[in-house]
């Protein structure tokens, strides 16, 4: 059974800190892993997509890594800002066209 | 190019009524996916459709729920005889082809269904 777990469920940090969000998955036969941002009452914004053949992807202050052997992915946010406050979701794609989502990490960056 | 459009954004239904949720995929996208997010939970896959075909409905409840993606017009998720437990955010995503490689799925803003 494919399961995706995110720890911690909530995180509060002061502005400017570097931080790491964790995602673990039970099945290493993963096609893609994708990180999303969800703002309250809003939809999902794709942040980074890592294919199974890749180890990491970077976009601006964000860096996501994928370690299939250990069943883990991390999202690193550098120099956090209050505008980064949101819920971050990771999703693993095991079968084509079907994502398995974690429950998310709710991030609060305090000014 | 407008993103994935879902309407209505908010929908209130009384128990026993029908709910119809609409999703217009991005231009050029012929693959549509529906997900449900219960309060304080992650998104759960419901159904994957291509034009006029249901490809994978393994996440759909066996009763009262149906989905379609006609040749013309938006994809529709239909919930008959709604119950309180159907209250959730329903998200639609679309892609130009099947995902699984370097093809991303783009998500809409969701429809928040409240059953009273």
């Amino acid at each position: 059974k494919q399961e995706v777990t995110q720890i911690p469920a909530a995180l509060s940090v002061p502005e400017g800190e570097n931080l790491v969000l964790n995602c673990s998955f039970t099945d290493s036969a993963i096609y893609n892993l994708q990180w999303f941002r969800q703002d309250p009452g809003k939809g999902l914004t794709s942040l980074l997509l890592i294919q199974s053949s890749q180890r990491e992807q970077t976009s601006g202050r964000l860096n996501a890594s994928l370690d299939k052997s250990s069943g883990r992915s991390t999202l690193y946010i550098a120099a956090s800002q209050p505008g980064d406050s949101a819920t971050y979701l990771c999703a693993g794609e095991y079968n084509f066209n079907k994502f398995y989502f974690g429950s998310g990490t709710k991030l609060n960056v305090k000014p | 190019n407008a993103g994935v459009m879902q309407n209505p954004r908010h929908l209130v239904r009384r128990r026993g009524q029908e709910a119809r949720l609409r999703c217009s995929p991005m231009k050029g996208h012929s693959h549509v996916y529906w997900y449900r997010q219960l309060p304080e939970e992650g998104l759960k896959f419901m159904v994957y459709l291509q034009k006029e075909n249901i490809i994978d409905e393994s996440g759909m409840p066996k009763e009262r729920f149906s989905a379609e993606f006609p040749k013309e017009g938006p994809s529709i998720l239909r919930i008959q005889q709604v119950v309180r437990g159907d209250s959730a955010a329903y998200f639609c995503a679309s892609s130009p082809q099947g995902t699984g490689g370097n093809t991303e799925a783009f998500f809409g803003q969701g429809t928040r269904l409240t059953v009273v």
Side-chain angles (χ1 to χ4, degrees):
Chain A
K1 182 181 178 184
Q2 291 88 2
E3 291 185 0
V4 178
T5 305
Q6 291 188 249
I7 294 173
L11 182 63
S12 184
V13 301
E15 181 178 3
E17 266 203 16
N18 302 325
L19 57 99
V20 174
L21 306 181
N22 296 297
C23 173
S24 61
F25 43 92
T26 54
D27 188 343
S28 62
I30 196 168
Y31 288 121
N32 291 329
L33 189 127
Q34 195 162 354
W35 283 91
F36 295 87
R37 169 183 172 141
Q38 184 176 27
D39 293 281
K42 301 283 183 65
L44 277 67
T45 301
S46 177
L47 298 173
L48 290 164
L49 168 68
I50 312 175
Q51 296 179 54
S52 61
S53 58
Q54 299 171 328
R55 286 193 168 269
E56 64 178 341
Q57 284 286 341
T58 297
S59 176
R61 294 182 294 108
L62 305 179
N63 175 277
S65 67
L66 175 64
D67 184 343
K68 290 179 58 178
S69 62
S70 66
R72 292 182 181 178
S73 176
T74 61
L75 178 66
Y76 175 81
I77 303 177
S80 58
Q81 303 171 358
D84 296 330
S85 298
T87 296
Y88 290 81
L89 300 170
C90 77
E93 189 172 12
Y94 294 95
N95 305 309
F96 289 124
N97 308 302
K98 183 186 292 184
F99 285 98
Y100 292 81
F101 280 83
S103 296
T105 294
K106 188 173 183 178
L107 173 66
N108 178 36
V109 180
K110 298 173 288 186
Chain B
N1 186 4
V4 177
M5 303 300 290
Q6 290 188 248
N7 67 82
R9 293 288 307 281
H10 300 274
L11 182 61
V12 179
R13 283 288 178 265
R14 295 186 185 279
R15 279 179 296 172
Q17 290 185 320
E18 178 180 286
R20 291 171 70 89
L21 288 61
R22 295 175 185 77
C23 170
S24 296
M26 289 180 68
K27 187 176 181 180
H29 288 195
S30 59
H31 298 242
V32 165
Y33 318 81
W34 285 92
Y35 285 79
R36 176 166 66 174
Q37 185 177 34
L38 295 170
E40 304 302 322
E41 292 189 15
L43 280 75
K44 297 285 195 297
F45 171 83
M46 298 182 76
V47 62
Y48 161 46
L49 311 102
Q50 294 180 27
K51 284 282 187 181
E52 300 185 276
N53 288 302
I54 298 174
I55 307 301
D56 181 350
E57 58 181 346
S58 58
M60 288 280 270
K62 295 285 185 261
E63 298 177 348
R64 302 187 297 107
F65 284 71
S66 63
E68 63 177 8
F69 188 18
K71 187 177 180 180
E72 302 290 338
S75 175
I76 306 287
L77 180 66
R78 182 182 177 203
I79 311 172
Q80 295 178 292
Q81 299 175 317
V82 296
V83 300
R84 289 241 170 92
D86 296 332
S87 296
Y90 292 82
F91 289 95
C92 170
S94 75
S95 62
Q97 58 193 46
T99 61
N102 62 358
T103 299
E104 283 187 56
F106 294 85
F107 282 77
Q109 300 226 325
T111 292
R112 278 151 185 84
L113 172 66
T114 301
V115 179
V116 297

